[in-house]
Amino acid sequence: MEFSTLFIALLILQALLPFHSSTDAAPTSSNLFREYIGAEFNNVKFTDVPINPNVEFHFILSFAIDYDTSSSPSPTNGKFNVFWDSDNLSPSQVSCIKSRHSNVKVALSLGGDSVAGGFAYFKPSSTDSWVSNAVSSLTHIIKQFKLDGIDIDYEHFNSTPGVFSECIGRLITTLKKNKVIKFASIAPFDDDEVQSHYQALWKSYGHLIDYVNFQFYAYDEGTTVSQFMSYFKTQTCNYEGSKVLVSISSDGNGGGLSPSNGFFTACRRLKSQNQLHGIFVWSADDSKDNGFQYEKQSQALLAAVRG
């Protein structure tokens, strides 16, 4: 009798498990909006940017770079310095915008494309020394500015994908373990060298990466909605299991799928498929001149996700 009862209970449990698993795996849309800020030193402030109270809003300070601050900067093997407009985006201003808007978090981005007119390279002397220096210097900056997360945006490399993966993976692991950061993101784009480094990182440490800020605006100018949807599907496969955010640039270069060519149409289509994990804009510095129109449109669309 006891065996029969146990057998029946196991059958019931087995029948229930697939139901719960498929529910957990279902894609979900998000109301996350992210904005890079501070790279171009044009006096943009947090308070200049419209913030919809019905979205989760992340400012991303651009950039912290492991280069020195001399007139001809050189790599410092993981000893990061502030290279964003910290006069207008200071620790006190971070605290102020977060206190005024409970839905706002602030992160910093590492690397970027350039420093003092030259490429900013990821160039560690060794994995152990780079990780040690990076953990120490970034912990200091993050605590000084009371930040919530980091974004990885290296675009040029003097290292193998394996070394990049270990350095960045161990950095994120340690900062999360020490409760210095709450989230981490990466910002790749469709370039063979870039993808080889970020996909190596994703393969080994993807479980620690919360968002993929894919630079869809790095695709060719004149991208169509159907092409964009195909690109999104490809990158979702490349970063399997990730939350790939869609993106737009407000710097006037016109790369990727533009608003006039259907960017928000594509966003609505992804939303209807429960695949709109969020939108980010590069960058507030450029959007200042156009009245932040793309930020307003993006947030209005995202706010309606949960409406």
Side-chain angles (χ1 to χ4, degrees):
M1 186 68 177
E2 290 180 0
F3 174 81
S4 299
T5 303
L6 178 61
F7 182 72
I8 292 169
L10 286 172
L11 284 177
I12 293 171
L13 180 62
Q14 188 177 19
L16 288 173
L17 282 175
F19 173 78
H20 288 297
S21 298
S22 62
T23 301
D24 293 342
T28 56
S29 288
S30 165
N31 66 343
L32 175 63
F33 177 80
R34 315 188 90 200
E35 175 97 77
Y36 289 87
I37 188 169
E40 296 173 23
F41 290 80
N42 65 353
N43 298 316
V44 68
K45 300 177 176 64
F46 294 125
T47 50
D48 293 332
V49 183
I51 297 171
N52 188 313
N54 296 313
V55 302
E56 181 181 355
F57 194 115
H58 292 180
F59 281 111
I60 305 176
L61 296 164
S62 311
F63 292 93
I65 314 175
D66 53 333
Y67 273 62
D68 63 45
T69 55
S70 66
S71 57
S72 299
S74 57
T76 55
N77 189 39
K79 295 179 181 177
F80 283 84
N81 287 296
V82 169
F83 280 86
W84 67 78
D85 183 3
S86 57
D87 287 342
N88 288 293
L89 305 166
S90 65
S92 63
Q93 286 157 328
V94 171
S95 295
C96 183
I97 198 69
K98 288 169 71 173
S99 66
R100 290 177 61 177
H101 299 275
S102 61
N103 58 321
V104 167
K105 293 182 174 65
V106 184
L108 61 79
S109 189
L110 308 185
D113 174 61
S114 62
V115 56
F119 288 148
Y121 283 95
F122 178 76
K123 190 176 181 180
S125 299
S126 72
T127 301
D128 288 344
S129 62
W130 189 93
V131 171
S132 177
N133 290 337
V135 168
S136 177
S137 59
L138 287 172
T139 297
H140 173 74
I141 294 171
I142 291 165
K143 289 187 174 180
Q144 178 189 5
F145 280 80
K146 295 182 174 61
L147 304 177
D148 303 288
I150 62 171
D151 174 67
I152 312 301
D153 189 23
Y154 282 102
E155 303 185 6
H156 308 282
F157 307 90
N158 277 335
S159 79
T160 65
V163 169
F164 177 73
S165 172
E166 276 306 294
C167 286
I168 300 299
R170 286 169 56 183
L171 171 65
I172 294 172
T173 299
T174 305
L175 292 179
K176 283 197 167 185
K177 181 180 177 182
N178 293 346
K179 301 188 187 311
V180 176
I181 60 172
K182 299 180 182 72
F183 55 81
S185 60
I186 57 175
F189 56 94
D190 194 34
D191 170 89
D192 288 345
E193 184 184 30
V194 170
Q195 290 278 55
S196 68
H197 284 73
Y198 282 95
Q199 287 180 32
L201 172 62
W202 183 261
K203 182 177 179 181
S204 296
Y205 292 96
H207 60 288
L208 293 172
I209 297 167
D210 301 281
Y211 315 106
V212 176
N213 280 15
F214 200 85
Q215 299 182 45
F216 287 100
Y217 45 79
Y219 283 106
D220 290 342
E221 182 179 358
T223 296
T224 65
V225 171
S226 61
Q227 286 174 324
F228 180 89
M229 297 298 288
S230 176
Y231 297 152
F232 181 85
K233 183 177 180 180
T234 297
Q235 301 311 330
T236 299
C237 291
N238 283 338
Y239 299 92
E240 187 176 358
S242 67
K243 294 179 180 177
V244 175
L245 275 63
V246 299
S247 55
I248 193 168
S249 171
S250 60
D251 66 4
N253 288 338
L257 177 60
S258 66
S260 60
N261 225 19
F263 175 75
F264 291 107
T265 298
C267 288
R268 284 188 289 271
R269 188 173 298 178
L270 288 173
K271 175 186 167 184
S272 72
Q273 298 169 359
N274 283 327
Q275 294 187 72
L276 185 62
H277 304 298
I279 301 172
F280 74 89
V281 173
W282 174 273
S283 68
D285 305 55
D286 301 301
S287 297
K288 189 176 180 182
D289 288 338
N290 66 25
F292 300 97
Q293 58 177 316
Y294 301 146
E295 285 80 355
K296 293 172 185 175
Q297 285 179 267
S298 297
Q299 291 179 74
L301 189 151
L302 291 166
V305 166
R306 295 182 178 178

